[in-house]
Amino acid sequence: MNLTDYIKDIPDFPKAGIVFKDISPLLANAAATDKAIELLAMGLHNFQATKVVGIESRGFLLGILLAQHLKLGFVPVRKPGKLPGEIISQNYQLEYGEDALEIQANSIQPGDLVIIHDDVLATGGTAEAACKLVEKCGGVVVQCNFLMELDFLEGRSKIEKYQLHSLIHY
């Protein structure tokens, strides 16, 4: 099964000049979703991870399935104002602006071994911010895990100190 058959290019979204990689067709096909989770999970049992962190919002979709597949806890990293209780925040740059991410302060414990998951690695800003949040909580990032990577944006360079796994490269 070729997973790229289930990813649709949407030109000029969210703004002119950007080609958005839509994973909705992949999610709509149970066999394609199962295959993606199987491939994303390959080798992850070796890390003895304790949590999967999914980055808002599309990182939630496969991240929670990955966590369930690996029998691990799932922790959402969200945009500001979406999480209750004590939070930790991290600002970052993205390909078309600036934003911040937040995590609940008690969701990662010191020594937790964490897999960071998102649907796409673009400029690396959101992944880098998620890694910093996990580390602020005392966790250790064991892998940054992506469905796809936009190689031409060189996001890998921002998180090169971590082990990276991307299924699809554009």
Side-chain angles (χ1 to χ4, degrees):
M1 174 178 287
N2 186 352
L3 294 180
T4 59
D5 293 342
Y6 299 91
I7 298 171
K8 182 179 177 185
D9 285 350
I10 309 292
D12 298 322
F13 183 82
K15 69 180 206 175
I18 294 175
V19 178
F20 182 80
K21 300 291 188 187
D22 184 12
I23 65 170
S24 297
L26 183 137
L27 296 171
N29 184 292
T33 301
D34 284 347
K35 185 65 172 180
I37 295 303
E38 176 189 321
L39 293 171
L40 287 167
M42 287 181 73
L44 289 179
H45 295 287
N46 300 333
F47 290 115
Q48 299 180 345
T50 54
K51 304 266 175 63
V52 172
V53 164
I55 302 172
E56 184 166 337
S57 66
R58 292 179 309 273
F60 295 170
L61 301 171
L62 295 178
I64 189 74
L65 295 175
L66 182 62
Q68 289 178 342
H69 181 83
L70 296 169
K71 306 218 181 310
L72 302 176
F74 177 79
V75 176
V77 165
R78 302 216 53 195
K79 298 208 173 162
K82 304 283 186 174
L83 293 170
E86 183 183 349
I87 57 102
I88 298 171
S89 185
Q90 180 68 48
N91 292 329
Y92 68 97
Q93 296 290 319
L94 41 79
E95 59 270 31
Y96 44 85
E98 185 177 311
D99 211 341
L101 290 177
E102 295 181 341
I103 192 170
Q104 287 178 309
N106 61 354
S107 61
I108 301 291
Q109 300 301 309
D112 269 339
L113 302 177
V114 178
I115 298 160
I116 305 281
H117 176 78
D118 205 357
D119 67 323
V120 64
L121 174 59
T123 63
T126 54
E128 180 183 36
C131 291
K132 287 179 180 178
L133 285 172
V134 167
E135 290 168 347
K136 283 180 179 180
C137 293
V140 176
V141 176
V142 296
Q143 186 184 82
C144 294
N145 181 287
F146 306 95
L147 176 63
M148 59 191 141
E149 184 173 343
L150 306 179
D151 296 329
F152 64 95
L153 292 175
E154 300 178 355
R156 183 173 281 258
S157 67
K158 287 190 179 163
I159 53 173
E160 64 188 357
K161 73 177 191 176
Y162 305 102
Q163 179 165 335
L164 301 175
H165 176 58
S166 302
L167 291 185
I168 302 165
H169 291 264
Y170 292 100

